[in-house]
Amino acid sequence: MRYTFSALSLMAIILTIVGPGDALAAAEVGQPAPALVVEELNGQTFDLSALRGKVVVINFWATWCQPCRREMPALDAFYRQYHGQGLEMIGLSADRPHERSGVGKVMQSFSYPAAMLDDVKADDFGDPNELPVTFIIDANGVVRAKFTPDQTLATEKSLSVAIPLLPGKPAAQKSPLQSSTVSP
């Protein structure tokens, strides 16, 4: 038996299998960053689209995730060093809403802002399939790097790909980020 599908029917099959959110919620290296608006733990609003002109690091994590907890000091050190030079960062906790106080306690040790995934108002990144996942978005709103546990965790060294992207850095220093993920 031979099956033929139109592009429209094929898309319908894909959406049925993976769901509409998963099919449309891809943050791919080299592509414009998806929308992200969330209320931070401190009550302020993080809106990725309002941060054009800055380099942004988005880290999906959870309190129970040991690799997440291991990379948080490096994320914090990087944020402290480069925040004054045009770097913004947010940690998005995948913990359940009733674990909010535990997330707040963990974040007391760090200087970068955090939010709960359940507080997201607009999220075209979608729910992460694995943790931790970290994205670097350049000043033009383009995803330039993605760190995943099976490729590379966020370390001060791996995050250094963002340094040449910071405003005011000479173009000659900008790193050619060609791959879909950054390897060590």
Side-chain angles (χ1 to χ4, degrees), residues 49-124:
S49 67
L51 296 174
R52 287 286 167 97
K54 297 182 179 244
V55 173
V56 182
V57 176
I58 299 172
N59 174 253
F60 291 86
W61 69 286
T63 57
W64 45 263
C65 167
Q66 289 307 310
C68 301
R69 299 291 295 272
R70 281 195 303 271
E71 72 180 11
M72 289 172 80
L75 288 163
D76 191 58
F78 194 78
Y79 177 78
R80 287 176 187 255
Q81 184 170 359
Y82 295 104
H83 178 65
Q85 297 177 38
L87 177 81
E88 294 295 334
M89 185 179 298
I90 189 151
L92 287 170
S93 172
D95 288 277
R96 298 186 191 278
H98 70 272
E99 297 164 330
R100 182 184 206 90
S101 66
V103 170
K105 286 179 186 174
V106 168
M107 290 309 299
Q108 287 176 353
S109 300
F110 303 105
S111 57
Y112 61 93
M116 303 289 292
L117 268 176
D118 283 344
D119 292 339
V120 168
K121 293 174 174 65
D123 178 12
D124 291 337

Side-chain angles (χ1 to χ4, degrees), residues 18 21 27 44 50 74 84 89 113 120 122 124 131 136 144 147 167-168 170 178:
V18 298
Q44 294 185 28
M89 185 179 298
V120 168
D124 291 337
L131 293 173
I136 295 178
R144 291 295 170 198
F147 305 117
Q178 305 294 330

Side-chain angles (χ1 to χ4, degrees), residues 38 40-41 75 150 178 184:
V38 63
E40 298 173 8
L41 294 177
L75 288 163
D150 60 334
Q178 305 294 330

Side-chain angles (χ1 to χ4, degrees), residues 36-49:
L36 179 63
V37 179
V38 63
E39 184 178 327
E40 298 173 8
L41 294 177
N42 64 10
Q44 294 185 28
T45 298
F46 176 93
D47 182 350
L48 182 58
S49 67

